[in-house]
Amino acid sequence: MLARGCRWVLILAVVLLFAVAPAISQPDKADPLPSWNDTTPKKAINDFVAKVTKEGSPDFVPVADRVAVFDNDGTLWCEHPMYVQLAFALDRVKALAPKHPEWRTTEPFKSVLDGNLKGVAASGEKGLAELIMGTHAGMTVDEFEVTVKDWLATAEHPRFRRPYTECVYQPMLELLAYLRANGFKTFIVSGGGVEFMRPFTARVYGVPPEQVVGSTIKTKYVLRDGKPVLMRLPEIDFIDDKAGKPVCIHKFIGRRPVMAFGNSAGDFEMLEYTTTNNHRGFGLFVHHTDAEREYAYDRKTEFGHLDKGLDEAPKRGWVVASMKVDWKTVFPPKKQPK
Amino acid sequence: MLARGCRWVLILAVVLLFAVAPAISQPDKADPLPSWNDTTPKKAINDFVAKVTKEGSPDFVPVADRVAVFDNDGTLWCEHPMYVQLAFALDRVKALAPKHPEWRTTEPFKSVLDGNLKGVAASGEKGLAELIMGTHAGMTVDEFEVTVKDWLATAEHPRFRRPYTECVYQPMLELLAYLRANGFKTFIVSGGGVEFMRPFTARVYGVPPEQVVGSTIKTKYVLRDGKPVLMRLPEIDFIDDKAGKPVCIHKFIGRRPVMAFGNSAGDFEMLEYTTTNNHRGFGLFVHHTDAEREYAYDRKTEFGHLDKGLDEAPKRGWVVASMKVDWKTVFPPKKQPK
């Protein structure tokens, strides 16, 4: 039995413990990265975190500056056989087609409705932009959020037959939690639409909406039936990709990151910007090398193309994590059906 | 003397206490708002916070949704006799003039150098934009940050003879801390330049850089002498004012706030957007009524103009806090010279 003062201290400790407990589970102290094999990338991550969190060390980074940025598509979740947001857009074309009879004869919508993915691809970037504008604009931001949530709740990955939000990488979930436990703020910095990610990032990654940076379309504040709403306009605001990533990091986060994680050419400048910080920086590419458990691709692919990054990683001191070699598991265990 | 297990618990409690201690002091539990008189605004704030934080109450708001947004100029710090950022721009014109001989004959720079403030005002919005572009662009974001920090460290308010970062409102500092202690995330949403605020908001307001939303100019990622930098371009990206505030709130924060604090016409839509949230919303205008301790202005002023907000506050249920009536103190105590 504890003494009276001691009980009070215990209660305080428990209250404080709950006050700091994040939504996502805490990492295991003995091995916070159990889904990583004991190969170079895991050692590099552990060594770096030990260095920058050791007070008095020349590499020490104060907590306020501990910013870690993560690409989403191909870095945190699966981006093949196509970007998840593209799968969403294709499904939206089918769902909205009855209201758009003109789509039956207009590209790229016609190809989508005909199930002709080559035709969609042939429409190029312009076609993809039209696809996004046709399916992602013209509603309020609240309506769009509901649509995304509903879709994510029912859509399945065509190969893995589970929700896209379960086709996330277990080693990266552990890494997010591990960095947060070491005082890092974790941000997503993705070429994907910010409003497509925010509906699930808190639940799945433990990253709250304001720490999600992505591509944006313009919105406008209007009164609809006397109620103020934000309408999504069919106009791109900013593409958060390649050299746009450092621009967005500065605009949204306001300081250079200390660690950056990506997997494609779109992440090159983000890693470059991060690893030329005044304090020590860390960059890592997830390399898709595992056709059996996930996919194998790098230099020749439509989604998640990576070449210069692979070539330059060694001389820039960036780590390349091979999914096949360095990851013990790829996806989290399947959830029990309710 | 504490028992062995009890000491361990005490150590844990202390460690946890430090782990959650913010940079800014914690509010006093007995009266977290001591610089507010016991008048309507203080009661309204206390009642609202009690309602939305009471689990099981119909007005309960989960912690993840507890977002409070604050305008900066005139709401958190003094904006008279002119916006602080304008005082900064005028000082920059003087500092940069030797490198710009053409400014001696070009408006609005000529008026600034002649000390002719009416001439500056006569140049209108176009002139002000030229002033900002001439002094805020053409350098890297890191260089600009150093310039802002150096200026804030030495510049003084012309009437109060203390640094601008001490011409902040003590009642609002207490309010920021009080809301954070009640699970709110506090954000700044200001018409001012985001890069002019971020260098001091963590230290002065306890608001980290990524929770500061403001007007932006475009930047570009370039390699300078082989080192990647972000250059500030002489081009406005977005003005975070009036109907632009809800747009920025959505873009940067990703959800509707629950509480909004402003003082001018530029904040009207922010309060409107916040108080038509699905859950209960709270809006408050700081009303500058105290010529003796600060300034008295509302309908007729260049800086911090407020009219429609005053007229509509009663029917919309917004609180108007009179600086003279409702604030016990205005500024924090002067710091002892080191």
mmCIF file of all heavy atoms in Angstrom, chain A residues 72-106:
data_model
loop_
_atom_site.group_PDB
_atom_site.id
_atom_site.type_symbol
_atom_site.label_atom_id
_atom_site.label_comp_id
_atom_site.label_asym_id
_atom_site.label_seq_id
_atom_site.Cartn_x
_atom_site.Cartn_y
_atom_site.Cartn_z
ATOM 1 N N ASN A 72 4.075 10.343 -49.178
ATOM 2 C CA ASN A 72 3.025 9.347 -48.904
ATOM 3 C C ASN A 72 3.013 8.197 -49.916
ATOM 4 O O ASN A 72 3.320 7.056 -49.580
ATOM 5 C CB ASN A 72 1.658 10.032 -48.846
ATOM 6 C CG ASN A 72 0.552 9.080 -48.430
ATOM 7 O OD1 ASN A 72 0.761 8.238 -47.559
ATOM 8 N ND2 ASN A 72 -0.607 9.196 -49.051
ATOM 9 N N ASP A 73 2.705 8.499 -51.185
ATOM 10 C CA ASP A 73 2.564 7.442 -52.204
ATOM 11 C C ASP A 73 3.889 6.714 -52.434
ATOM 12 O O ASP A 73 4.863 7.301 -52.886
ATOM 13 C CB ASP A 73 2.095 8.045 -53.538
ATOM 14 C CG ASP A 73 0.715 8.674 -53.423
ATOM 15 O OD1 ASP A 73 -0.197 7.999 -52.942
ATOM 16 O OD2 ASP A 73 0.568 9.861 -53.796
ATOM 17 N N GLY A 74 3.920 5.425 -52.120
ATOM 18 C CA GLY A 74 5.125 4.625 -52.335
ATOM 19 C C GLY A 74 6.103 4.689 -51.176
ATOM 20 O O GLY A 74 7.066 3.926 -51.133
ATOM 21 N N THR A 75 5.870 5.616 -50.241
ATOM 22 C CA THR A 75 6.749 5.714 -49.064
ATOM 23 C C THR A 75 6.016 5.252 -47.811
ATOM 24 O O THR A 75 6.580 4.551 -46.977
ATOM 25 C CB THR A 75 7.257 7.165 -48.880
ATOM 26 O OG1 THR A 75 7.986 7.543 -50.052
ATOM 27 C CG2 THR A 75 8.150 7.295 -47.663
ATOM 28 N N LEU A 76 4.752 5.633 -47.695
ATOM 29 C CA LEU A 76 3.963 5.199 -46.534
ATOM 30 C C LEU A 76 2.900 4.179 -46.932
ATOM 31 O O LEU A 76 2.481 3.371 -46.112
ATOM 32 C CB LEU A 76 3.297 6.395 -45.850
ATOM 33 C CG LEU A 76 4.237 7.413 -45.177
ATOM 34 C CD1 LEU A 76 3.427 8.546 -44.564
ATOM 35 C CD2 LEU A 76 5.113 6.754 -44.124
ATOM 36 N N TRP A 77 2.407 4.310 -48.180
ATOM 37 C CA TRP A 77 1.442 3.304 -48.624
ATOM 38 C C TRP A 77 1.709 2.947 -50.077
ATOM 39 O O TRP A 77 2.447 3.627 -50.779
ATOM 40 C CB TRP A 77 -0.007 3.724 -48.354
ATOM 41 C CG TRP A 77 -0.640 4.776 -49.237
ATOM 42 C CD1 TRP A 77 -0.051 5.501 -50.225
ATOM 43 C CD2 TRP A 77 -2.017 5.178 -49.202
ATOM 44 N NE1 TRP A 77 -0.959 6.352 -50.797
ATOM 45 C CE2 TRP A 77 -2.179 6.178 -50.183
ATOM 46 C CE3 TRP A 77 -3.115 4.803 -48.440
ATOM 47 C CZ2 TRP A 77 -3.404 6.807 -50.418
ATOM 48 C CZ3 TRP A 77 -4.327 5.440 -48.687
ATOM 49 C CH2 TRP A 77 -4.463 6.424 -49.653
ATOM 50 N N CYS A 78 1.072 1.865 -50.502
ATOM 51 C CA CYS A 78 1.302 1.271 -51.813
ATOM 52 C C CYS A 78 0.782 2.174 -52.938
ATOM 53 O O CYS A 78 -0.350 2.654 -52.873
ATOM 54 C CB CYS A 78 0.576 -0.083 -51.832
ATOM 55 S SG CYS A 78 0.803 -1.001 -53.338
ATOM 56 N N GLU A 79 1.595 2.378 -53.985
ATOM 57 C CA GLU A 79 1.191 3.259 -55.082
ATOM 58 C C GLU A 79 1.008 2.502 -56.393
ATOM 59 O O GLU A 79 0.815 3.104 -57.447
ATOM 60 C CB GLU A 79 2.206 4.385 -55.275
ATOM 61 C CG GLU A 79 3.576 3.892 -55.718
ATOM 62 C CD GLU A 79 4.631 4.991 -55.812
ATOM 63 O OE1 GLU A 79 4.275 6.179 -55.734
ATOM 64 O OE2 GLU A 79 5.818 4.656 -55.952
ATOM 65 N N HIS A 80 1.086 1.177 -56.340
ATOM 66 C CA HIS A 80 0.868 0.363 -57.540
ATOM 67 C C HIS A 80 -0.356 -0.509 -57.347
ATOM 68 O O HIS A 80 -0.682 -0.804 -56.199
ATOM 69 C CB HIS A 80 2.110 -0.512 -57.796
ATOM 70 C CG HIS A 80 3.148 0.183 -58.629
ATOM 71 N ND1 HIS A 80 3.915 -0.426 -59.577
ATOM 72 C CD2 HIS A 80 3.525 1.488 -58.654
ATOM 73 C CE1 HIS A 80 4.739 0.453 -60.143
ATOM 74 N NE2 HIS A 80 4.536 1.617 -59.579
ATOM 75 N N PRO A 81 -1.069 -0.889 -58.378
ATOM 76 C CA PRO A 81 -0.764 -0.676 -59.793
ATOM 77 C C PRO A 81 -0.973 0.767 -60.249
ATOM 78 O O PRO A 81 -0.574 1.099 -61.365
ATOM 79 C CB PRO A 81 -1.739 -1.622 -60.509
ATOM 80 C CG PRO A 81 -2.893 -1.711 -59.573
ATOM 81 C CD PRO A 81 -2.308 -1.642 -58.193
ATOM 82 N N MET A 82 -1.595 1.610 -59.423
ATOM 83 C CA MET A 82 -1.690 3.026 -59.761
ATOM 84 C C MET A 82 -1.847 3.808 -58.460
ATOM 85 O O MET A 82 -2.179 3.231 -57.420
ATOM 86 C CB MET A 82 -2.884 3.304 -60.691
ATOM 87 C CG MET A 82 -4.254 3.117 -60.031
ATOM 88 S SD MET A 82 -5.638 3.576 -61.110
ATOM 89 C CE MET A 82 -5.820 2.099 -62.112
ATOM 90 N N TYR A 83 -1.593 5.142 -58.516
ATOM 91 C CA TYR A 83 -1.806 5.972 -57.327
ATOM 92 C C TYR A 83 -3.226 5.743 -56.803
ATOM 93 O O TYR A 83 -4.175 5.682 -57.587
ATOM 94 C CB TYR A 83 -1.658 7.462 -57.662
ATOM 95 C CG TYR A 83 -0.268 7.877 -58.090
ATOM 96 C CD1 TYR A 83 -0.079 8.698 -59.187
ATOM 97 C CD2 TYR A 83 0.847 7.468 -57.376
ATOM 98 C CE1 TYR A 83 1.196 9.096 -59.577
ATOM 99 C CE2 TYR A 83 2.127 7.856 -57.763
ATOM 100 C CZ TYR A 83 2.295 8.668 -58.862
ATOM 101 O OH TYR A 83 3.543 9.052 -59.249
ATOM 102 N N VAL A 84 -3.366 5.662 -55.516
ATOM 103 C CA VAL A 84 -4.679 5.431 -54.912
ATOM 104 C C VAL A 84 -5.651 6.545 -55.320
ATOM 105 O O VAL A 84 -6.825 6.298 -55.604
ATOM 106 C CB VAL A 84 -4.566 5.341 -53.375
ATOM 107 C CG1 VAL A 84 -5.937 5.099 -52.756
ATOM 108 C CG2 VAL A 84 -3.589 4.236 -52.968
ATOM 109 N N GLN A 85 -5.133 7.766 -55.371
ATOM 110 C CA GLN A 85 -6.019 8.888 -55.713
ATOM 111 C C GLN A 85 -6.514 8.792 -57.159
ATOM 112 O O GLN A 85 -7.605 9.260 -57.474
ATOM 113 C CB GLN A 85 -5.301 10.225 -55.479
ATOM 114 C CG GLN A 85 -6.268 11.408 -55.475
ATOM 115 C CD GLN A 85 -5.610 12.703 -55.038
ATOM 116 O OE1 GLN A 85 -4.446 12.728 -54.670
ATOM 117 N NE2 GLN A 85 -6.370 13.782 -55.075
ATOM 118 N N LEU A 86 -5.716 8.155 -58.013
ATOM 119 C CA LEU A 86 -6.167 7.952 -59.390
ATOM 120 C C LEU A 86 -7.270 6.888 -59.420
ATOM 121 O O LEU A 86 -8.278 7.042 -60.131
ATOM 122 C CB LEU A 86 -4.981 7.549 -60.279
ATOM 123 C CG LEU A 86 -5.300 7.297 -61.749
ATOM 124 C CD1 LEU A 86 -5.970 8.505 -62.403
ATOM 125 C CD2 LEU A 86 -4.022 6.927 -62.520
ATOM 126 N N ALA A 87 -7.100 5.839 -58.639
ATOM 127 C CA ALA A 87 -8.162 4.823 -58.533
ATOM 128 C C ALA A 87 -9.456 5.467 -58.044
ATOM 129 O O ALA A 87 -10.557 5.167 -58.535
ATOM 130 C CB ALA A 87 -7.727 3.709 -57.576
ATOM 131 N N PHE A 88 -9.317 6.375 -57.080
ATOM 132 C CA PHE A 88 -10.471 7.123 -56.571
ATOM 133 C C PHE A 88 -11.111 7.946 -57.693
ATOM 134 O O PHE A 88 -12.337 7.928 -57.885
ATOM 135 C CB PHE A 88 -10.013 8.021 -55.418
ATOM 136 C CG PHE A 88 -11.003 9.068 -54.988
ATOM 137 C CD1 PHE A 88 -12.117 8.727 -54.232
ATOM 138 C CD2 PHE A 88 -10.815 10.403 -55.323
ATOM 139 C CE1 PHE A 88 -13.043 9.701 -53.827
ATOM 140 C CE2 PHE A 88 -11.724 11.378 -54.923
ATOM 141 C CZ PHE A 88 -12.841 11.023 -54.179
ATOM 142 N N ALA A 89 -10.278 8.648 -58.470
ATOM 143 C CA ALA A 89 -10.806 9.491 -59.548
ATOM 144 C C ALA A 89 -11.550 8.650 -60.589
ATOM 145 O O ALA A 89 -12.623 9.035 -61.068
ATOM 146 C CB ALA A 89 -9.670 10.289 -60.202
ATOM 147 N N LEU A 90 -10.984 7.480 -60.919
ATOM 148 C CA LEU A 90 -11.641 6.615 -61.910
ATOM 149 C C LEU A 90 -12.998 6.148 -61.382
ATOM 150 O O LEU A 90 -14.002 6.158 -62.110
ATOM 151 C CB LEU A 90 -10.747 5.402 -62.234
ATOM 152 C CG LEU A 90 -9.373 5.719 -62.833
ATOM 153 C CD1 LEU A 90 -8.643 4.425 -63.199
ATOM 154 C CD2 LEU A 90 -9.472 6.624 -64.059
ATOM 155 N N ASP A 91 -13.031 5.768 -60.122
ATOM 156 C CA ASP A 91 -14.308 5.356 -59.517
ATOM 157 C C ASP A 91 -15.306 6.517 -59.489
ATOM 158 O O ASP A 91 -16.511 6.321 -59.651
ATOM 159 C CB ASP A 91 -14.086 4.839 -58.093
ATOM 160 C CG ASP A 91 -13.636 3.383 -58.078
ATOM 161 O OD1 ASP A 91 -13.534 2.787 -59.172
ATOM 162 O OD2 ASP A 91 -13.388 2.847 -56.986
ATOM 163 N N ARG A 92 -14.796 7.720 -59.259
ATOM 164 C CA ARG A 92 -15.684 8.894 -59.222
ATOM 165 C C ARG A 92 -16.270 9.163 -60.607
ATOM 166 O O ARG A 92 -17.441 9.550 -60.731
ATOM 167 C CB ARG A 92 -14.950 10.146 -58.728
ATOM 168 C CG ARG A 92 -14.565 10.150 -57.268
ATOM 169 C CD ARG A 92 -15.712 9.853 -56.329
ATOM 170 N NE ARG A 92 -16.777 10.851 -56.384
ATOM 171 C CZ ARG A 92 -18.055 10.618 -56.062
ATOM 172 N NH1 ARG A 92 -18.442 9.409 -55.712
ATOM 173 N NH2 ARG A 92 -18.945 11.584 -56.119
ATOM 174 N N VAL A 93 -15.464 8.967 -61.656
ATOM 175 C CA VAL A 93 -15.985 9.165 -63.020
ATOM 176 C C VAL A 93 -17.173 8.229 -63.238
ATOM 177 O O VAL A 93 -18.231 8.639 -63.719
ATOM 178 C CB VAL A 93 -14.887 8.914 -64.082
ATOM 179 C CG1 VAL A 93 -15.505 8.861 -65.480
ATOM 180 C CG2 VAL A 93 -13.825 10.015 -64.022
ATOM 181 N N LYS A 94 -16.994 6.972 -62.825
ATOM 182 C CA LYS A 94 -18.085 6.003 -63.015
ATOM 183 C C LYS A 94 -19.318 6.413 -62.200
ATOM 184 O O LYS A 94 -20.448 6.336 -62.674
ATOM 185 C CB LYS A 94 -17.620 4.600 -62.616
ATOM 186 C CG LYS A 94 -16.598 4.031 -63.611
ATOM 187 C CD LYS A 94 -15.907 2.778 -63.060
ATOM 188 C CE LYS A 94 -14.593 2.553 -63.800
ATOM 189 N NZ LYS A 94 -13.658 1.707 -63.045
ATOM 190 N N ALA A 95 -19.082 6.872 -60.974
ATOM 191 C CA ALA A 95 -20.212 7.228 -60.106
ATOM 192 C C ALA A 95 -20.941 8.473 -60.611
ATOM 193 O O ALA A 95 -22.165 8.587 -60.478
ATOM 194 C CB ALA A 95 -19.718 7.448 -58.679
ATOM 195 N N LEU A 96 -20.179 9.404 -61.183
ATOM 196 C CA LEU A 96 -20.772 10.681 -61.601
ATOM 197 C C LEU A 96 -21.264 10.660 -63.050
ATOM 198 O O LEU A 96 -21.942 11.594 -63.490
ATOM 199 C CB LEU A 96 -19.753 11.823 -61.431
ATOM 200 C CG LEU A 96 -19.333 12.155 -59.986
ATOM 201 C CD1 LEU A 96 -18.123 13.089 -59.982
ATOM 202 C CD2 LEU A 96 -20.488 12.786 -59.211
ATOM 203 N N ALA A 97 -20.942 9.593 -63.786
ATOM 204 C CA ALA A 97 -21.244 9.549 -65.222
ATOM 205 C C ALA A 97 -22.713 9.818 -65.560
ATOM 206 O O ALA A 97 -22.996 10.538 -66.526
ATOM 207 C CB ALA A 97 -20.793 8.211 -65.810
ATOM 208 N N PRO A 98 -23.677 9.289 -64.776
ATOM 209 C CA PRO A 98 -25.087 9.547 -65.122
ATOM 210 C C PRO A 98 -25.420 11.032 -65.177
ATOM 211 O O PRO A 98 -26.307 11.437 -65.933
ATOM 212 C CB PRO A 98 -25.852 8.847 -63.982
ATOM 213 C CG PRO A 98 -24.930 7.777 -63.496
ATOM 214 C CD PRO A 98 -23.556 8.332 -63.660
ATOM 215 N N LYS A 99 -24.709 11.844 -64.395
ATOM 216 C CA LYS A 99 -24.953 13.283 -64.409
ATOM 217 C C LYS A 99 -24.157 13.994 -65.498
ATOM 218 O O LYS A 99 -24.293 15.202 -65.669
ATOM 219 C CB LYS A 99 -24.562 13.894 -63.054
ATOM 220 C CG LYS A 99 -25.508 13.569 -61.918
ATOM 221 C CD LYS A 99 -25.083 14.319 -60.667
ATOM 222 C CE LYS A 99 -25.894 13.872 -59.454
ATOM 223 N NZ LYS A 99 -25.327 14.386 -58.210
ATOM 224 N N HIS A 100 -23.295 13.263 -66.183
ATOM 225 C CA HIS A 100 -22.435 13.865 -67.206
ATOM 226 C C HIS A 100 -22.519 13.057 -68.499
ATOM 227 O O HIS A 100 -21.547 12.386 -68.882
ATOM 228 C CB HIS A 100 -20.974 13.915 -66.731
ATOM 229 C CG HIS A 100 -20.746 14.871 -65.608
ATOM 230 N ND1 HIS A 100 -20.470 16.213 -65.809
ATOM 231 C CD2 HIS A 100 -20.768 14.684 -64.262
ATOM 232 C CE1 HIS A 100 -20.317 16.808 -64.626
ATOM 233 N NE2 HIS A 100 -20.496 15.911 -63.673
ATOM 234 N N PRO A 101 -23.641 13.127 -69.216
ATOM 235 C CA PRO A 101 -23.754 12.356 -70.466
ATOM 236 C C PRO A 101 -22.653 12.708 -71.472
ATOM 237 O O PRO A 101 -22.253 11.860 -72.280
ATOM 238 C CB PRO A 101 -25.143 12.748 -70.992
ATOM 239 C CG PRO A 101 -25.569 13.950 -70.201
ATOM 240 C CD PRO A 101 -24.847 13.895 -68.904
ATOM 241 N N GLU A 102 -22.126 13.933 -71.390
ATOM 242 C CA GLU A 102 -21.085 14.344 -72.343
ATOM 243 C C GLU A 102 -19.789 13.546 -72.169
ATOM 244 O O GLU A 102 -18.975 13.465 -73.097
ATOM 245 C CB GLU A 102 -20.801 15.854 -72.207
ATOM 246 C CG GLU A 102 -19.975 16.279 -70.993
ATOM 247 C CD GLU A 102 -20.779 16.382 -69.686
ATOM 248 O OE1 GLU A 102 -21.947 15.934 -69.651
ATOM 249 O OE2 GLU A 102 -20.225 16.892 -68.687
ATOM 250 N N TRP A 103 -19.613 12.926 -70.985
ATOM 251 C CA TRP A 103 -18.387 12.154 -70.761
ATOM 252 C C TRP A 103 -18.327 10.913 -71.672
ATOM 253 O O TRP A 103 -17.250 10.395 -71.926
ATOM 254 C CB TRP A 103 -18.290 11.714 -69.283
ATOM 255 C CG TRP A 103 -17.906 12.833 -68.355
ATOM 256 C CD1 TRP A 103 -17.583 14.109 -68.701
ATOM 257 C CD2 TRP A 103 -17.785 12.754 -66.921
ATOM 258 N NE1 TRP A 103 -17.272 14.846 -67.583
ATOM 259 C CE2 TRP A 103 -17.393 14.044 -66.466
ATOM 260 C CE3 TRP A 103 -17.978 11.746 -65.980
ATOM 261 C CZ2 TRP A 103 -17.187 14.326 -65.112
ATOM 262 C CZ3 TRP A 103 -17.767 12.025 -64.640
ATOM 263 C CH2 TRP A 103 -17.371 13.314 -64.220
ATOM 264 N N ARG A 104 -19.479 10.436 -72.126
ATOM 265 C CA ARG A 104 -19.485 9.236 -72.974
ATOM 266 C C ARG A 104 -18.711 9.447 -74.274
ATOM 267 O O ARG A 104 -18.276 8.492 -74.908
ATOM 268 C CB ARG A 104 -20.932 8.808 -73.314
ATOM 269 C CG ARG A 104 -21.699 8.232 -72.138
ATOM 270 C CD ARG A 104 -22.126 6.774 -72.414
ATOM 271 N NE ARG A 104 -21.022 5.955 -72.891
ATOM 272 C CZ ARG A 104 -20.328 5.104 -72.128
ATOM 273 N NH1 ARG A 104 -20.644 4.917 -70.883
ATOM 274 N NH2 ARG A 104 -19.330 4.404 -72.638
ATOM 275 N N THR A 105 -18.557 10.730 -74.659
ATOM 276 C CA THR A 105 -17.885 11.019 -75.933
ATOM 277 C C THR A 105 -16.669 11.929 -75.765
ATOM 278 O O THR A 105 -16.070 12.336 -76.751
ATOM 279 C CB THR A 105 -18.875 11.706 -76.906
ATOM 280 O OG1 THR A 105 -19.476 12.828 -76.219
ATOM 281 C CG2 THR A 105 -19.968 10.749 -77.346
ATOM 282 N N THR A 106 -16.315 12.265 -74.520
ATOM 283 C CA THR A 106 -15.187 13.185 -74.302
ATOM 284 C C THR A 106 -14.045 12.462 -73.599
ATOM 285 O O THR A 106 -14.256 11.811 -72.574
ATOM 286 C CB THR A 106 -15.626 14.352 -73.374
ATOM 287 O OG1 THR A 106 -16.967 14.713 -73.680
ATOM 288 C CG2 THR A 106 -14.702 15.555 -73.531
#
